[in-house]
Coordinates of all heavy atoms in Angstrom, one line a residue:
M1 N -3.3 -10.9 -3.0 CA -3.0 -9.6 -2.3 C -3.7 -8.5 -3.0 O -3.8 -8.5 -4.2 CB -1.5 -9.4 -2.3 CG -0.8 -10.0 -1.1 SD 0.9 -9.5 -1.0 CE 1.6 -10.4 -2.4
P2 N -4.1 -7.5 -2.3 CA -4.8 -6.4 -2.9 C -3.9 -5.5 -3.8 O -2.7 -5.4 -3.5 CB -5.4 -5.6 -1.8 CG -4.6 -6.0 -0.6 CD -4.1 -7.4 -0.9
I3 N -4.5 -4.8 -4.7 CA -3.7 -3.9 -5.6 C -4.0 -2.5 -5.1 O -5.2 -2.1 -4.9 CB -4.2 -4.0 -7.0 CG1 -3.8 -5.4 -7.6 CG2 -3.4 -2.9 -7.9 CD1 -4.4 -5.6 -9.0
Y4 N -3.0 -1.7 -4.8 CA -3.1 -0.4 -4.4 C -2.6 0.6 -5.5 O -1.7 0.3 -6.2 CB -2.3 -0.1 -3.1 CG -2.9 -0.9 -2.0 CD1 -2.2 -2.1 -1.6 CD2 -4.0 -0.5 -1.3 CE1 -2.7 -2.8 -0.5 CE2 -4.5 -1.2 -0.2 CZ -3.9 -2.4 0.1 OH -4.4 -3.2 1.2
E5 N -3.4 1.7 -5.6 CA -3.0 2.7 -6.6 C -2.3 3.8 -5.9 O -2.8 4.3 -4.8 CB -4.2 3.2 -7.3 CG -4.8 2.3 -8.3 CD -5.9 2.9 -9.1 OE1 -5.6 3.7 -10.0 OE2 -7.1 2.7 -8.7
Y6 N -1.2 4.3 -6.4 CA -0.5 5.4 -5.8 C -0.3 6.5 -6.9 O -0.3 6.3 -8.1 CB 0.9 4.9 -5.4 CG 0.9 3.9 -4.3 CD1 0.7 2.6 -4.6 CD2 0.9 4.3 -2.9 CE1 0.6 1.6 -3.6 CE2 0.8 3.3 -1.9 CZ 0.7 2.0 -2.3 OH 0.6 1.1 -1.3
L7 N -0.2 7.7 -6.4 CA 0.0 8.9 -7.2 C 1.2 9.6 -6.7 O 1.3 9.9 -5.6 CB -1.2 9.8 -7.1 CG -1.1 11.2 -7.8 CD1 -1.0 11.0 -9.3 CD2 -2.3 12.1 -7.4
C8 N 2.1 9.9 -7.7 CA 3.3 10.6 -7.3 C 3.0 12.1 -7.4 O 2.5 12.6 -8.4 CB 4.4 10.3 -8.3 SG 5.9 11.3 -8.0
L9 N 3.3 12.8 -6.3 CA 3.0 14.2 -6.3 C 4.1 15.0 -7.0 O 3.9 16.2 -7.2 CB 2.9 14.7 -4.8 CG 1.8 14.0 -4.0 CD1 1.7 14.5 -2.6 CD2 0.4 14.2 -4.7
D10 N 5.2 14.4 -7.3 CA 6.3 15.1 -7.9 C 6.1 15.2 -9.5 O 6.2 16.2 -10.1 CB 7.6 14.4 -7.6 CG 8.0 14.7 -6.2 OD1 7.5 15.7 -5.6 OD2 8.8 13.9 -5.6
C11 N 5.7 14.0 -10.0 CA 5.6 14.0 -11.5 C 4.2 13.6 -12.0 O 4.0 13.7 -13.2 CB 6.7 13.0 -12.1 SG 6.3 11.3 -11.7
G12 N 3.4 13.3 -11.1 CA 2.0 13.0 -11.5 C 1.8 11.6 -12.0 O 0.7 11.2 -12.4
K13 N 2.8 10.8 -11.9 CA 2.7 9.4 -12.3 C 1.8 8.6 -11.4 O 1.9 8.7 -10.2 CB 4.1 8.8 -12.3 CG 4.1 7.3 -12.6 CD 3.8 6.9 -14.0 CE 4.1 5.4 -14.2 NZ 3.8 5.0 -15.7
E14 N 0.9 7.9 -12.0 CA 0.0 6.9 -11.3 C 0.5 5.5 -11.5 O 0.8 5.2 -12.6 CB -1.4 7.1 -11.7 CG -2.0 8.5 -11.4 CD -3.5 8.6 -11.8 OE1 -4.1 7.5 -12.0 OE2 -4.0 9.7 -11.9
F15 N 0.6 4.8 -10.5 CA 1.0 3.4 -10.6 C 0.4 2.5 -9.6 O -0.1 2.9 -8.6 CB 2.6 3.3 -10.6 CG 3.2 3.8 -9.3 CD1 3.4 3.0 -8.2 CD2 3.4 5.2 -9.2 CE1 4.0 3.5 -7.1 CE2 4.0 5.7 -8.0 CZ 4.3 4.9 -7.0
E16 N 0.4 1.2 -9.9 CA -0.3 0.2 -9.1 C 0.8 -0.7 -8.5 O 1.7 -1.0 -9.1 CB -1.3 -0.6 -9.9 CG -2.4 0.2 -10.4 CD -3.4 -0.6 -11.3 OE1 -3.0 -1.7 -11.7 OE2 -4.5 -0.1 -11.5
V17 N 0.5 -1.0 -7.2 CA 1.5 -1.9 -6.6 C 0.6 -3.0 -5.9 O -0.3 -2.7 -5.2 CB 2.3 -1.2 -5.5 CG1 3.3 -2.2 -4.8 CG2 3.1 -0.1 -6.2
V18 N 1.1 -4.2 -6.1 CA 0.4 -5.3 -5.3 C 1.3 -5.6 -4.1 O 2.5 -5.9 -4.2 CB 0.4 -6.6 -6.2 CG1 -0.2 -7.8 -5.3 CG2 -0.4 -6.4 -7.4
R19 N 0.6 -5.4 -2.9 CA 1.4 -5.6 -1.7 C 0.4 -5.9 -0.6 O -0.8 -5.7 -0.7 CB 2.1 -4.3 -1.4 CG 1.2 -3.1 -1.1 CD 1.9 -1.7 -1.2 NE 3.2 -1.7 -0.6 CZ 3.8 -0.6 -0.1 NH1 3.1 0.6 -0.1 NH2 4.9 -0.6 0.4
P20 N 1.0 -6.5 0.5 CA 0.1 -6.9 1.6 C -0.6 -5.7 2.2 O -0.1 -4.6 2.2 CB 1.1 -7.5 2.6 CG 2.3 -7.9 1.8 CD 2.4 -6.9 0.7
M21 N -1.8 -6.0 2.7 CA -2.6 -4.9 3.2 C -1.9 -4.1 4.3 O -2.0 -2.9 4.4 CB -4.0 -5.5 3.7 CG -5.0 -4.5 4.0 SD -6.6 -5.2 4.4 CE -7.1 -5.9 2.9
K22 N -1.2 -4.9 5.1 CA -0.5 -4.2 6.2 C 0.6 -3.3 5.8 O 1.1 -2.5 6.6 CB 0.0 -5.2 7.2 CG 1.1 -6.2 6.7 CD 1.5 -7.2 7.7 CE 2.3 -8.4 7.2 NZ 3.5 -8.0 6.6
E23 N 1.0 -3.4 4.5 CA 2.1 -2.5 4.0 C 1.5 -1.4 3.1 O 2.3 -0.6 2.5 CB 3.1 -3.3 3.2 CG 3.8 -4.4 4.1 CD 4.8 -5.1 3.2 OE1 5.0 -4.8 2.0 OE2 5.4 -6.1 3.8
A24 N 0.2 -1.3 3.1 CA -0.4 -0.4 2.2 C 0.0 1.1 2.4 O 0.1 1.8 1.4 CB -1.9 -0.5 2.3
D25 N 0.2 1.4 3.6 CA 0.6 2.8 3.9 C 2.0 3.1 4.1 O 2.5 4.2 4.4 CB -0.2 3.3 5.1 CG -1.7 3.4 4.9 OD1 -2.0 4.0 3.8 OD2 -2.5 3.0 5.7
L26 N 2.8 2.1 3.9 CA 4.3 2.3 4.0 C 4.7 3.1 2.8 O 4.2 2.9 1.7 CB 5.0 0.9 4.0 CG 4.7 0.0 5.2 CD1 5.5 -1.2 5.1 CD2 5.1 0.8 6.5
P27 N 5.7 3.9 3.0 CA 6.3 4.7 1.9 C 6.8 3.8 0.7 O 7.3 2.8 1.0 CB 7.4 5.5 2.5 CG 7.1 5.5 4.0 CD 6.4 4.2 4.2
I28 N 6.6 4.3 -0.5 CA 7.1 3.6 -1.6 C 7.6 4.6 -2.6 O 6.9 5.6 -2.9 CB 6.0 2.7 -2.2 CG1 6.6 1.8 -3.3 CG2 4.8 3.4 -2.7 CD1 5.7 0.7 -3.8
P29 N 8.7 4.5 -3.2 CA 9.2 5.5 -4.2 C 8.4 5.4 -5.5 O 8.0 4.3 -5.9 CB 10.7 5.1 -4.4 CG 10.8 3.7 -4.0 CD 9.7 3.4 -3.0
C30 N 8.3 6.5 -6.2 CA 7.7 6.6 -7.5 C 8.5 5.7 -8.5 O 9.7 5.6 -8.5 CB 7.7 8.0 -8.0 SG 7.1 8.2 -9.7
Q31 N 7.7 5.0 -9.3 CA 8.3 4.1 -10.2 C 8.9 4.8 -11.4 O 9.7 4.3 -12.2 CB 7.2 3.1 -10.8 CG 6.8 2.1 -9.7 CD 5.8 1.1 -10.2 OE1 5.3 1.2 -11.3 NE2 5.6 0.0 -9.4
Q32 N 8.5 6.1 -11.5 CA 9.0 6.9 -12.7 C 10.2 7.8 -12.3 O 11.2 7.8 -13.0 CB 7.9 7.7 -13.3 CG 8.3 8.5 -14.5 CD 7.1 9.0 -15.2 OE1 6.6 8.4 -16.1 NE2 6.6 10.2 -14.9
C33 N 10.0 8.5 -11.2 CA 11.1 9.5 -10.9 C 11.7 9.2 -9.5 O 12.6 9.9 -9.1 CB 10.5 10.9 -10.8 SG 9.4 11.2 -9.4
Q34 N 11.3 8.1 -8.9 CA 11.9 7.7 -7.6 C 11.6 8.7 -6.5 O 12.2 8.7 -5.5 CB 13.4 7.5 -7.7 CG 13.8 6.5 -8.8 CD 13.1 5.2 -8.7 OE1 13.1 4.6 -7.6 NE2 12.5 4.7 -9.8
G35 N 10.7 9.6 -6.8 CA 10.3 10.6 -5.8 C 9.6 9.9 -4.6 O 9.0 8.8 -4.8
E36 N 9.6 10.6 -3.5 CA 9.1 10.0 -2.3 C 7.8 10.6 -1.8 O 7.3 10.3 -0.8 CB 10.1 10.0 -1.2 CG 11.3 9.1 -1.5 CD 12.4 9.1 -0.5 OE1 12.3 10.0 0.5 OE2 13.3 8.4 -0.6
H37 N 7.3 11.6 -2.6 CA 6.1 12.3 -2.3 C 4.9 11.5 -2.9 O 4.4 11.9 -4.0 CB 6.1 13.7 -2.7 CG 7.2 14.5 -2.0 ND1 8.3 15.0 -2.7 CD2 7.3 14.9 -0.8 CE1 9.1 15.6 -1.9 NE2 8.5 15.6 -0.7
I38 N 4.6 10.4 -2.3 CA 3.6 9.5 -2.9 C 2.3 9.6 -2.0 O 2.4 9.6 -0.8 CB 4.1 8.1 -2.9 CG1 5.4 8.0 -3.7 CG2 3.1 7.2 -3.6 CD1 5.3 8.5 -5.2
T39 N 1.2 9.6 -2.7 CA -0.1 9.4 -1.9 C -0.8 8.2 -2.4 O -0.8 7.9 -3.6 CB -0.9 10.7 -2.1 OG1 -2.1 10.5 -1.3 CG2 -1.4 10.9 -3.5
R40 N -1.4 7.5 -1.5 CA -2.2 6.3 -2.0 C -3.6 6.7 -2.3 O -4.3 7.4 -1.5 CB -2.2 5.3 -0.8 CG -2.9 4.0 -1.2 CD -2.6 2.9 -0.3 NE -3.0 3.1 1.1 CZ -4.2 2.7 1.6 NH1 -5.1 2.1 0.8 NH2 -4.6 3.0 2.8
K41 N -4.0 6.3 -3.5 CA -5.4 6.5 -3.9 C -6.2 5.4 -3.2 O -5.7 4.4 -2.8 CB -5.5 6.5 -5.4 CG -4.6 7.5 -6.0 CD -4.6 7.4 -7.6 CE -6.0 7.8 -8.1 NZ -5.9 7.7 -9.6
L42 N -7.5 5.7 -3.2 CA -8.4 4.7 -2.6 C -8.4 3.4 -3.5 O -8.5 3.6 -4.7 CB -9.8 5.2 -2.4 CG -9.9 6.4 -1.4 CD1 -11.3 6.9 -1.4 CD2 -9.5 5.9 0.0
S43 N -8.4 2.3 -2.9 CA -8.4 1.1 -3.7 C -9.8 0.8 -4.3 O -10.8 1.5 -3.9 CB -8.1 -0.1 -2.8 OG -9.2 -0.5 -2.0
V44 N -9.9 -0.1 -5.2 CA -11.1 -0.4 -5.8 C -12.2 -1.0 -4.8 O -13.3 -0.9 -5.1 CB -11.0 -1.4 -7.0 CG1 -10.2 -0.8 -8.1 CG2 -10.3 -2.7 -6.5
F45 N -11.7 -1.4 -3.7 CA -12.6 -2.0 -2.7 C -13.4 -1.0 -2.0 O -14.5 -1.3 -1.6 CB -11.8 -2.8 -1.7 CG -11.0 -3.9 -2.3 CD1 -9.6 -3.8 -2.3 CD2 -11.6 -5.0 -2.9 CE1 -8.8 -4.8 -2.9 CE2 -10.8 -6.0 -3.5 CZ -9.4 -5.9 -3.5
N46 N -12.9 0.2 -1.9 CA -13.7 1.2 -1.2 C -13.8 2.5 -2.0 O -14.2 3.6 -1.4 CB -13.2 1.5 0.2 CG -11.7 2.0 0.1 OD1 -11.2 2.2 -0.9 ND2 -11.1 2.1 1.3
A47 N -13.5 2.5 -3.2 CA -13.6 3.7 -4.0 C -15.1 4.0 -4.3 O -15.9 3.1 -4.4 CB -12.8 3.6 -5.3
C48 N -15.4 5.2 -4.4 CA -16.8 5.6 -4.8 C -17.0 5.2 -6.2 O -16.2 5.4 -7.1 CB -17.0 7.1 -4.6 SG -17.0 7.6 -2.9
S49 N -18.2 4.8 -6.5 CA -18.6 4.6 -7.9 C -19.1 5.8 -8.5 O -19.2 6.0 -9.7 CB -19.7 3.5 -7.9 OG -20.8 3.9 -7.2
G50 N -19.4 6.8 -7.7 CA -19.9 8.1 -8.2 C -18.8 9.0 -8.5 O -18.1 8.8 -9.4
G51 N -18.7 10.0 -7.6 CA -17.7 11.1 -7.9 C -16.3 10.6 -7.9 O -16.0 9.5 -7.5
R52 N -15.5 11.5 -8.5 CA -14.1 11.2 -8.6 C -13.4 11.2 -7.3 O -13.7 12.1 -6.4 CB -13.5 12.2 -9.5 CG -12.6 11.7 -10.6 CD -12.2 12.8 -11.6 NE -10.8 12.8 -11.7 CZ -10.0 13.8 -11.1 NH1 -10.6 14.7 -10.4 NH2 -8.7 13.8 -11.3
V53 N -12.5 10.3 -7.0 CA -11.8 10.4 -5.8 C -10.8 11.5 -5.8 O -10.1 11.7 -6.8 CB -11.0 9.0 -5.6 CG1 -10.1 9.1 -4.4 CG2 -12.0 7.9 -5.4
V54 N -10.7 12.3 -4.8 CA -9.8 13.4 -4.7 C -8.4 12.9 -4.4 O -8.2 12.2 -3.4 CB -10.2 14.4 -3.6 CG1 -9.2 15.5 -3.6 CG2 -11.6 14.9 -3.9
A55 N -7.5 13.2 -5.3 CA -6.1 12.7 -5.1 C -5.5 13.1 -3.8 O -5.5 14.3 -3.4 CB -5.3 13.1 -6.3
G56 N -5.0 12.1 -3.1 CA -4.3 12.4 -1.9 C -5.2 12.7 -0.7 O -4.7 12.9 0.4
A57 N -6.5 12.8 -0.9 CA -7.3 13.2 0.2 C -7.9 12.0 0.9 O -8.2 11.0 0.3 CB -8.5 14.0 -0.3
S58 N -8.0 12.1 2.2 CA -8.6 11.1 3.0 C -10.0 11.6 3.4 O -10.6 11.1 4.3 CB -7.8 10.7 4.2 OG -7.6 11.9 5.0
S59 N -10.4 12.7 2.8 CA -11.7 13.3 3.2 C -12.8 13.0 2.2 O -13.7 13.7 2.1 CB -11.5 14.8 3.2 OG -11.0 15.3 2.0
G60 N -12.7 11.8 1.6 CA -13.9 11.4 0.8 C -13.7 11.8 -0.6 O -12.6 12.2 -1.1
C61 N -14.7 11.6 -1.4 CA -14.7 11.8 -2.8 C -15.3 13.1 -3.2 O -15.9 13.8 -2.4 CB -15.4 10.7 -3.6 SG -17.1 10.7 -3.4
A62 N -15.1 13.5 -4.4 CA -15.6 14.8 -4.9 C -17.1 14.8 -5.2 O -17.7 15.8 -5.4 CB -14.8 15.3 -6.1
G63 N -17.6 13.6 -5.3 CA -19.0 13.5 -5.7 C -20.0 13.5 -4.6 O -21.2 13.5 -4.8
C64 N -19.6 13.6 -3.4 CA -20.5 13.6 -2.3 C -19.9 14.4 -1.1 O -18.7 14.7 -1.1 CB -20.9 12.2 -1.8 SG -19.6 11.3 -1.1
S65 N -20.7 14.6 -0.1 CA -20.2 15.4 1.0 C -19.8 14.5 2.2 O -19.6 14.9 3.3 CB -21.3 16.4 1.5 OG -22.5 15.7 1.8
A66 N -19.9 13.2 2.0 CA -19.5 12.3 3.0 C -18.1 12.4 3.4 O -17.2 12.8 2.6 CB -19.8 10.8 2.6
S67 N -17.8 12.2 4.7 CA -16.4 12.3 5.2 C -15.6 11.2 4.7 O -14.3 11.3 4.8 CB -16.4 12.4 6.7 OG -17.0 11.3 7.3
S68 N -16.2 10.1 4.3 CA -15.4 9.0 3.8 C -16.2 8.3 2.8 O -17.5 8.4 2.8 CB -14.9 8.0 4.9 OG -16.0 7.2 5.2
C69 N -15.6 7.5 1.9 CA -16.3 6.9 0.8 C -17.2 5.8 1.4 O -18.1 5.2 0.7 CB -15.4 6.4 -0.2 SG -14.8 7.7 -1.3
A70 N -16.9 5.3 2.6 CA -17.8 4.3 3.2 C -19.2 4.9 3.4 O -20.2 4.1 3.4 CB -17.2 3.9 4.6
G71 N -19.3 6.2 3.5 CA -20.7 6.8 3.6 C -21.2 7.3 2.3 O -22.3 7.9 2.3
C72 N -20.5 7.1 1.2 CA -20.9 7.6 -0.1 C -22.1 6.8 -0.6 O -22.0 5.6 -0.6 CB -19.8 7.5 -1.0 SG -20.2 8.3 -2.6
K73 N -23.2 7.4 -0.9 CA -24.4 6.7 -1.3 C -24.5 6.7 -2.9 O -25.5 6.3 -3.4 CB -25.6 7.3 -0.7 CG -25.6 7.2 0.8 CD -25.7 5.7 1.2 CE -26.0 5.6 2.7 NZ -24.8 6.0 3.5
H74 N -23.6 7.2 -3.6 CA -23.7 7.3 -5.0 C -23.6 5.9 -5.6 O -22.7 5.1 -5.2 CB -22.6 8.2 -5.6 CG -22.9 9.6 -5.3 ND1 -23.9 10.4 -5.9 CD2 -22.3 10.4 -4.4 CE1 -23.8 11.6 -5.4 NE2 -22.9 11.7 -4.5
Ligands
LIG101 ZN1 7.2 10.5 -9.7

């Protein structure tokens, strides 16, 4: 199963969860504060190797102007 990275918007905790792909976008509480304001970071499978991934954004990475990391040429 793939590993997904999540970022808690409440306390800033980053954590990884192994879960089925179909559950990747299901809500999950923060492992540190149990907060529910969680955003999923891009997985290693489609993360840019160049610029930093913008936390919580689905609008691509900071290193390029592509609308998604699939179009990132870095
Ligand atoms: Zn938290």
Side-chain angles (χ1 to χ4, degrees):
M1 275 189 286
I3 298 174
Y4 295 100
E5 286 186 77
Y6 297 86
L7 171 66
C8 176
L9 301 179
D10 289 336
C11 69
K13 170 76 172 180
E14 296 181 16
F15 55 96
E16 296 177 344
V17 178
V18 178
R19 62 196 321 205
M21 193 174 292
K22 61 183 168 62
E23 295 181 6
D25 290 317
L26 294 181
I28 185 170
C30 173
Q31 294 184 344
Q32 180 165 272
C33 72
Q34 307 303 310
E36 295 178 352
H37 299 110
I38 304 298
T39 184
R40 181 164 65 92
K41 301 173 70 177
L42 295 176
S43 76
V44 294
F45 300 110
N46 58 5
C48 289
S49 59
R52 226 171 127 257
V53 173
V54 179
S58 57
S59 56
C61 69
C64 67
S65 58
S67 59
S68 78
C69 284
C72 185
K73 297 295 191 292
H74 289 287

